[in-house]
Amino acid sequence: MKALICEGGGFKTAVTTGILDAWLCCGYDPFDLYIGVSGGAVMLSSYLSKQYKRGWDLISRLQHDVSLTSFSRFVKGGYYLELDLIEHIWDRITPFDHKKALEITQHKRVEFSCTELYTGAAVFIQPKLEKDWKRYLRATSTLPLVSKCPLVIDNVGLVDGAFAAPVPIQRAIDLGATEIVLLRTNKNSMAGSRWNRLMSNYLLKNNYPAINHLMQEEDAIYKKIVATIESPPDAVRCQVLFPELLKSTILSSKKKYLEEDYKTGLEIGLDYLNHQPF
């Protein structure tokens, strides 16, 4: 079984959609299992529906709209990150081809990584109906305090999968994957900063203790992931695609940086194909 995993990263996933667009142009899709996390799941969805440059259209429109994030809105009691804007673009400006995605993945497995808000457990949800896609993508992208949360699915409150399973390689292995391709937006050594952990303790400790605990343990979580990537079980092969440099950050990016990251993704995707047997 061959698996594709797309890590989250907000605007940094411009590189992800670049890689996937390169593969779409060449008709490359040998995967049996797909797992997306947060923004990576959004870009993965357009790959599954075979909509070339849809991911780029979505992320570039978000970069252009100043209402996506607002500190003043947050201070006034609103949410810093407005996920409704993403859904507006998803539905009306660049409609998602649900039928195509479901048709293509009929005999494959698609999962989005989420975190259970009150226990901190990793939860993997599978979009199987047209109405699932938008709701499930919102679940894997929802952030405590930053955006409206949780999204309740099957009586379980879910938030961003990056807390419990930011790079769900073990999930792919548990499902039987023997070849795993990871599209990453963070370096292996990157985990939470001391400042992030302090802010987590201050903002989340009393309201969402399980999420706060995961943020305090972020270094350990990433170290375990990296150890699995570098020394996978016997008969499991892992490939990591990651650029030397990303210009965009998670919640902000200049247009030229976004374009550079997307073009970098195209090059990485084509270079990868150049080394694949056809």
Side-chain angles (χ1 to χ4, degrees):
M1 179 189 291
K2 189 163 186 172
L4 173 63
I5 298 175
C6 296
E7 185 178 14
F11 284 113
K12 293 162 69 173
T13 58
V15 71
T16 304
T17 196
I19 294 171
L20 296 176
D21 275 349
W23 292 355
L24 279 178
C25 286
C26 298
Y28 182 76
D29 184 6
F31 304 103
D32 310 292
L33 168 65
Y34 310 84
I35 307 178
V37 185
S38 194
V42 175
M43 299 309 163
L44 174 63
S45 297
S46 294
Y47 175 67
L48 295 176
S49 62
K50 306 306 177 193
Q51 290 177 271
Y52 172 66
K53 293 198 79 172
R54 180 179 178 276
W56 166 251
D57 189 28
L58 176 62
I59 201 169
S60 59
R61 286 178 184 272
L62 288 174
Q63 183 276 331
H64 180 71
D65 199 312
V66 295
S67 66
L68 176 64
T69 58
S70 172
F71 184 72
S72 62
R73 181 173 61 213
F74 178 71
V75 170
K76 293 175 183 177
Y79 297 103
Y80 178 74
L81 180 63
E82 185 51 81
L83 293 180
D84 287 345
L85 176 61
I86 300 177
E87 291 191 2
H88 171 74
I89 296 175
W90 178 272
D91 283 335
R92 301 182 185 182
I93 300 177
T94 54
F96 176 63
D97 192 339
H98 305 86
K99 292 182 179 180
K100 186 76 169 180
L102 288 169
E103 175 188 336
I104 289 172
T105 60
Q106 183 177 5
H107 302 294
K108 301 184 178 188
R109 188 181 185 106
V110 181
E111 293 190 345
F112 300 150
S113 170
C114 298
T115 303
E116 207 287 312
L117 180 61
Y118 300 107
T119 67
V123 178
F124 296 91
I125 51 180
Q126 300 179 58
K128 294 183 177 180
L129 302 171
E130 287 190 19
K131 65 179 183 180
D132 291 343
W133 290 86
K134 185 174 66 175
R135 290 178 61 240
Y136 286 17
L137 286 170
R138 182 154 188 157
T140 187
S141 304
T142 297
L143 296 168
L145 300 180
V146 176
S147 58
K148 185 178 180 180
C149 81
L151 194 143
V152 179
I153 295 176
D154 296 331
N155 297 317
V156 179
L158 302 176
V159 294
D160 200 311
F163 295 113
V167 186
I169 182 172
Q170 189 59 53
R171 175 65 175 178
I173 293 171
D174 291 343
L175 291 174
T178 53
E179 287 187 72
I180 303 173
V181 179
L182 300 166
L183 305 191
R184 303 231 27 210
T185 56
N186 293 311
K187 292 181 178 179
N188 282 344
S189 60
M190 180 180 176
S193 68
R194 182 172 179 271
W195 172 251
N196 285 342
R197 289 191 290 273
L198 287 172
M199 288 301 294
S200 169
N201 246 339
Y202 178 73
L203 295 173
L204 299 174
K205 188 173 183 179
N206 295 325
N207 295 315
Y208 305 112
I211 301 301
N212 176 62
H213 175 73
L214 289 172
M215 292 193 70
Q216 302 305 311
E217 296 296 314
E218 194 172 17
D219 286 328
I221 291 171
Y222 269 87
K223 285 179 180 178
K224 186 175 181 180
I225 290 168
V226 172
T228 304
I229 292 173
E230 295 179 347
S231 299
D234 292 342
V236 175
R237 178 169 168 258
C238 296
Q239 292 179 280
V240 178
L241 302 189
F242 178 78
E244 290 295 324
L245 178 66
L246 276 179
K247 298 291 186 68
S248 303
T249 62
I250 293 175
L251 291 177
S252 65
S253 179
K254 294 182 179 179
K255 182 179 179 181
K256 66 175 183 178
Y257 291 164
L258 209 63
E259 291 174 345
E260 288 178 22
D261 288 344
Y262 176 72
K263 290 176 181 177
T264 296
L266 289 173
E267 293 176 1
I268 292 173
L270 292 174
D271 287 344
Y272 175 83
L273 293 181
N274 193 43
H275 295 89
Q276 301 307 303
F278 285 94

